[in-house]
Amino acid sequence: MNAFDRSFERKEAVQKSAEILRDMGTALFPLDVYELLSAFGKQINLVPYAMLRKNAEPKPKIETEPKVSPQMMSKDGFCTRVPDALFQYGNDYVEGSIWYIYYNDTAWESRIRFTLHELGHITLSHHHRLHADTLTGMDNSPEYKAADRQADLFSINLLAPAPAVYRILKEHGFSYIKQKADWHLTDPRAPFLRNLGSVPNPEVLVMTAFGLSQPAANIRLKELTSELEVWKQIDPKLYMLAENLPFRAGWFCWVCHTRRRTTSA
């Protein structure tokens, strides 16, 4: 771990993702990214790349909307900050930073969901810490790379918190076999395997339950045991909250072919 990694700690990313899940109040998996971002009101604005491709300015929500160009577009998305702006909050105007998250609206939905990576940059104060209103063009900076890794940790722990992933794996009879460094079925009598005719794939299970892409689900499984140790270092109430968050009513598990109610229990 280098000095920059220590400045952008894994625990900080986990803590912040857990706090947002708590503050949502009614968080359900798979997480509704658009609903989550809309909770920030006019302080965070979501804009699709289509608005840039058409060379059209998005309908402004505030007078201080930043100027952006197609050259700033990364593969998935980016965000810009408008510091010291006035924005409406209830019946009043308050001063603070306003954010615009731009995202690639032609990507797969599972990739669009990782727009929350940009929310990580915002809530972890990366722009302030890197002294920049936009982080585009900073790819070669070691400090930016450390911040970007932290934003990745934030987004995966918001979309698929380690305690919630561990819980659903256990419910399907999976345990981590250290010698094989992988998840294997060890409890054929697990609750959700009673009417299953074949052993489910844990990667597909995580993709289905949390709306992740295959690469993201693969990484989630590989890093799950070490990530659980980080979760154990934060407030136990936040750990329990993430572990017990419900799934959406009517969520259908393509692995065990059952339609869930409001929780996976």
Side-chain angles (χ1 to χ4, degrees):
M1 178 184 292
N2 60 41
F4 295 127
D5 287 330
R6 286 192 292 271
S7 298
F8 299 94
E9 292 182 337
R10 192 176 187 178
K11 181 180 176 181
E12 183 185 16
V14 168
Q15 176 81 26
K16 184 60 68 175
S17 65
E19 290 172 351
I20 288 179
L21 288 171
R22 177 197 63 197
D23 295 344
M24 284 183 71
T26 55
L28 297 169
F29 295 119
L31 205 63
D32 187 325
V33 173
Y34 305 102
E35 179 183 351
L36 175 95
L37 292 172
S38 67
F40 288 87
K42 295 184 178 180
Q43 195 168 13
I44 296 180
N45 303 274
L46 192 61
V47 184
Y49 275 5
M51 303 299 290
L52 301 181
R53 294 191 192 94
K54 295 177 181 177
N55 294 319
E57 291 292 330
K59 183 178 180 180
K61 297 181 179 180
I62 50 175
E63 296 179 357
T64 51
E65 187 171 352
K67 297 293 183 180
V68 296
S69 67
Q71 288 72 33
M72 297 174 68
M73 294 190 295
S74 64
K75 180 180 179 181
D76 296 314
F78 67 98
C79 62
T80 59
R81 175 182 68 170
V82 180
D84 304 322
L86 285 175
F87 61 96
Q88 191 171 2
Y89 187 80
N91 295 323
D92 299 318
Y93 282 86
V94 297
E95 185 176 353
S97 293
I98 296 175
W99 307 89
Y100 285 82
I101 295 179
Y102 297 86
Y103 69 98
N104 183 359
D105 49 313
T106 65
W108 290 98
E109 182 63 26
S110 57
R111 291 298 305 173
I112 293 177
R113 290 167 59 74
F114 261 82
T115 301
L116 291 180
H117 171 100
E118 304 303 328
L119 181 62
H121 283 309
I122 295 171
T123 59
L124 292 163
S125 304
H126 289 168
H127 295 75
H128 174 73
R129 292 156 75 174
L130 296 175
H131 310 289
D133 291 332
T134 180
L135 303 181
T136 56
M138 299 182 68
D139 297 18
N140 295 324
S141 163
E143 193 171 13
Y144 166 77
K145 289 179 180 179
D148 210 46
R149 285 192 293 271
Q150 190 185 46
D152 279 340
L153 289 167
F154 167 87
S155 59
I156 190 62
N157 278 289
L158 194 54
L159 290 170
V165 177
Y166 180 68
R167 168 194 164 200
I168 200 170
L169 287 169
K170 294 294 287 184
E171 288 176 344
H172 282 79
F174 287 97
S175 297
Y176 183 75
I177 308 300
K178 190 174 182 180
Q179 294 82 351
K180 298 181 179 181
D182 205 354
W183 293 86
H184 291 271
L185 184 67
T186 57
D187 182 9
R189 293 189 175 186
F192 296 123
L193 297 183
R194 291 169 185 167
N195 299 314
L196 187 62
S198 60
V199 176
N201 183 323
E203 190 174 272
V204 176
L205 173 62
V206 173
M207 289 171 62
T208 306
F210 298 95
L212 299 183
S213 65
Q214 184 276 329
N218 181 268
I219 294 172
R220 175 79 293 186
L221 287 172
K222 286 182 177 179
E223 298 181 348
L224 186 59
T225 55
S226 61
E227 203 91 314
L228 281 169
E229 293 305 312
V230 180
W231 274 84
K232 291 175 183 177
Q233 297 173 28
I234 68 173
D235 186 343
K237 292 181 180 179
L238 292 176
Y239 185 105
M240 291 180 62
L241 179 143
E243 183 180 39
N244 293 301
L245 283 173
F247 290 89
R248 295 188 177 278
W251 170 66
F252 186 80
C253 177
W254 293 100
V255 177
C256 56
H257 304 290
T258 58
R259 187 165 295 281
R260 303 296 171 79
R261 295 183 181 177
T262 56
T263 70
S264 60

